[in-house]
Amino acid sequence: MKKLGVIALLVTVLAIALWQWPNPDSPLLTESESFRVETQLPDNFFDEHVSPVLTQRCVVCHACYDAPCQLKMTSSEGIARGANKEKVYEGTRITAAQPNRMFLDAHSTDAWRERGFFDVLPAEHQTTTSKTQSSVLAQMLLLKKQHPLPDTHHLGSGFDISLNRENQCPTIDEMGGYIAEQPLGGMPYALPGLTDIEHNTLMQWIHNGAPLSEPKILSDELKAEVLALEKWLNGDSSKMQLSARYIYEHLFTSHLYFEDVTAEKATPQFFNLVRSRTPSGEPIDIIATRRPFDDPKIDRVYYRLQPVFSTIVSKTHQAYAINEALIDKWHSWFVDANFEVSTLPSYEPEVAANPLTAFDSLPVESRYRFMLERAQNTIMGYIKGPVCRGQVALNVINDRFWVFFVDPDIAASKKMNAFYASQRENLHLPAEKDSSALAVNWVKYAKRQGEYLRARTAFMNEEFKNGEHLNIASIWDGDGNNTNASLTVFRHFDNATVVKGMTGEPTKTAWVIDYALLERIHYLLVAGFDVYGNYGHQLMTRLYMDFLRMEGESNFLNLLPPKTRHTLLSEWYQNASPELTDYLEGDINSFEQPSGIVFDTDRPQQELYQMLLEHLSDVLPAESTFDKSMLSDEQFSALANLDFLPAKQATLMPETTVIVVRDDTDPGKIDVFTALRNSAHYNVNSLFEEEENREPSKDSITLVHGLLGSYPDAFWFIKASEVIGSIEHLHTIQSEADYKALLDKVGMRRTNSEFWTFSDNLLQWSKEQYPIEGGLLDYNRLEDR
């Protein structure tokens, strides 16, 4: 009897579990509206009606590698490709994953299906059910329509908006179970739903088979520009082939555009620089490799311009202007320069992954000046190039620091060239290992980096032993006209931004970058980084970057008195491990020659910053000015004083707050500011224990005019007359509850029914202000506070 009782209990439990478990065969949703199926929608229906809705409501979350379920909705091809259950950001994988890059790794819907992507649009030739019943996208829209956001300030426990949440990614066969289990999981997820007009537009499109846009055609004027540049890049000489390879490996993440044929304040047609098996005049046949320097497995590579017809999103956008002046400089560096190429370098990883070996025939000055000419773009590649987010990759840098560059005349001297040539073996990079590298290889690279730094210190001690000193003239002044001479890097936890100039209050640390350092940063973090790589590859990249950061910092410190160098290092690396302390205090940082700069105070770092401001005064970008017709000087001053917000209040602020100020009399008129939190750390050398290294008592805010950053965490939406009171309120908050109360007054939360109207106005303002450099924001990091 006892056995029968246990069996009965188990049967009951199982029955309850099965009753509660979502049934994959649960009914799909149906549309309450009746839509007429057109024999053929107007030719422009997708571009004029559907695309604007998808762009402004879907692309703001579904773009780049971090698009949920890899559903990239930035192009017709991405929508047709569909979704995939695999995660791109998977730092624990043992072996490298298969790359799935749009317009590179596959070029047809069938090819994507073979790679595990499934359709989100209606099934072709569907006759047994309605189009909405065979479309994941339609079901997600209907689910949102039937289960809108709760009418509350906050989302509640039914939503998970964490970046590392487990995405469900249901196929159409699994949608019934998803609907039963996730009634609040409709799209747009954790944001207000579409208006009736927007919803009906998409449903009408889906009911008619969801036709996508036809391929676009370039104008004759643009075709001529493309052919001219391709002709130049694909010269037959070994000299030109090597130069073109160098240019490609540095610009493959950039969006090129022809400045001379772009109308003023217009968004240009952008292009990707790609490797092709076919020459100009023939259809591009892309050579798809994991990294730009991998073996193309073909005798002759052609460098081609592939038009970018996808929606431009800020987080991946690197606008790079091509104009006559730039081409003249390229010609002088790579054609007119006096050098010979006897043999083209191989694509063996040990050669190709090390630019100091692969391009040793190219003059160092040509290489360095090429990168300096658009230094912001060069550094930006590290942030926007191969990844869209990565806290492990970015916790290697401070939250805000300034960057300067060694003058090319010094960096490209004959003695420096000879020194670089002597150090090729020590300058191998982890990228020479494949994307399934073993982390134990790190020891070898650490040893080589140490040997390089010791050799560099010995070289510098020898060079500056006779009274010659490093001084302000050692810093590149932009040749008197290039605003790339100084940069500010902002880190926003797992993403970052690079701007020209010395933005904000004086920074805790700064870098001075020479040719070898700039080249290695690019080949470590851009050309050599594989977001699909295994944990060993990603770990070695992160660990090696520690050395490059310290090298840049050391270069800056060398401009200061020897005693100050050691004092500042101790301040920058508080609570460092014994191993790191030994490294910092050892002979690797033993350059003891005095600086050639005379300091008059006991604060030489601040003096040096002031000298650099004066040295670079002709090339510092003009400050963006606020709208004086809308804001008074007093109101702007209140905003600007956020730079001096006490640490307690700064810590309660999110990483990136976009402050939208609207005119009191004209609600459609706005101005925009961005408040960036600078999260202080005792040191940034810890790989996994970042919170333990936080120093909140030194947190601060930097306010910039305009829209800065790609991932806003919070929005303020206030009248001009409310600015002073809102900032005063911010100064009083003491707790998370106080911050939430502040947002009740000034915030535009993701739950607000007016959110999309606000978003549309902000993005329109951005498009008008930044027609070339701007792009859509990403809303995946919007907080629910």
Side-chain angles (χ1 to χ4, degrees), residues 450-601:
E451 290 172 351
Y452 166 70
L453 290 180
R454 278 187 284 272
R456 193 186 70 136
T457 299
F459 172 78
M460 291 175 64
N461 280 326
E462 179 66 23
E463 283 300 299
F464 297 106
K465 68 180 181 181
N466 296 320
E468 298 174 355
H469 304 294
L470 292 171
N471 53 43
I472 288 294
S474 307
I475 302 299
W476 181 50
D477 65 356
D479 303 318
N481 55 33
N482 192 324
T483 55
N484 286 273
S486 62
L487 304 173
T488 302
V489 178
F490 292 93
R491 178 195 168 201
H492 323 296
F493 187 63
D494 64 356
N495 61 97
T497 308
V498 184
V499 297
K500 294 177 182 177
M502 301 165 66
T503 303
E505 293 299 299
T507 56
K508 173 184 175 181
T509 67
W511 298 7
V512 171
I513 297 179
D514 62 6
Y515 162 70
L517 180 55
L518 189 58
E519 196 78 276
R520 283 178 294 147
I521 288 174
H522 178 78
Y523 274 82
L524 178 74
L525 298 169
V526 186
F529 185 77
D530 179 11
V531 70
Y532 295 94
N534 77 332
Y535 81 97
H537 166 75
Q538 299 188 35
L539 178 61
M540 282 201 298
T541 299
R542 162 59 177 82
L543 292 172
Y544 196 89
M545 185 57 199
D546 267 328
F547 286 135
L548 300 190
R549 180 198 67 247
M550 288 187 281
E551 188 176 328
E553 292 170 343
S554 178
N555 289 343
F556 172 77
L557 292 173
N558 287 339
L559 293 170
L560 295 165
K563 183 178 179 181
T564 304
R565 299 169 197 166
H566 296 287
T567 301
L568 285 177
L569 268 181
S570 297
E571 292 178 5
W572 294 355
Y573 290 94
Q574 298 178 58
N575 300 345
S577 66
E579 295 81 7
L580 177 58
T581 300
D582 290 343
Y583 178 84
L584 293 171
E585 295 177 353
D587 60 349
I588 289 175
N589 278 298
S590 60
F591 178 66
E592 295 295 341
Q593 299 296 334
S595 169
I597 303 171
V598 177
F599 295 96
D600 298 324
T601 72

Side-chain angles (χ1 to χ4, degrees), residues 130-288:
S130 72
K131 297 291 186 183
T132 58
Q133 297 247 312
S134 66
S135 166
V136 171
L137 177 58
Q139 289 295 304
M140 288 292 188
L141 294 171
L142 290 170
L143 183 58
K144 185 72 171 194
K145 194 70 171 174
Q146 295 188 19
H147 297 277
L149 279 186
D151 186 16
T152 58
H153 279 319
H154 300 287
L155 292 171
S157 59
F159 293 91
D160 182 1
I161 58 172
S162 61
L163 276 181
N164 295 316
R165 66 182 181 270
E166 185 175 346
N167 291 312
Q168 301 299 313
C169 310
T171 64
I172 191 63
D173 293 334
E174 298 164 339
M175 272 305 303
Y178 177 85
I179 291 167
E181 185 181 31
Q182 303 282 345
L184 293 174
M187 299 296 152
Y189 180 70
L191 286 164
L194 308 184
T195 65
D196 288 343
I197 292 175
E198 292 166 343
H199 177 85
N200 292 343
T201 295
L202 295 187
M203 297 309 295
Q204 175 77 3
W205 170 62
I206 292 170
H207 269 281
N208 283 273
L212 298 167
S213 63
E214 294 296 319
K216 296 179 176 61
I217 300 174
L218 297 178
S219 68
D220 291 341
E221 187 178 34
L222 274 176
K223 287 179 182 177
E225 294 287 345
V226 168
L227 286 172
L229 182 55
E230 288 183 349
K231 181 180 179 181
W232 188 86
L233 287 169
N234 292 301
D236 291 329
S237 69
S238 295
K239 190 174 180 179
M240 198 60 239
Q241 288 186 56
L242 182 63
S243 298
R245 173 173 167 179
Y246 184 83
I247 292 170
Y248 162 72
E249 291 183 12
H250 287 76
L251 297 185
F252 74 100
T253 64
S254 298
H255 284 155
L256 281 59
Y257 71 97
F258 294 100
E259 188 173 50
D260 296 335
V261 297
T262 300
E264 187 177 358
K265 295 186 178 180
T267 299
Q269 172 62 57
F270 294 104
F271 298 85
N272 287 324
L273 186 58
V274 300
R275 295 195 295 183
S276 173
R277 298 177 183 85
T278 51
S280 293
E282 297 182 20
I284 294 175
D285 184 5
I286 286 184
I287 299 169

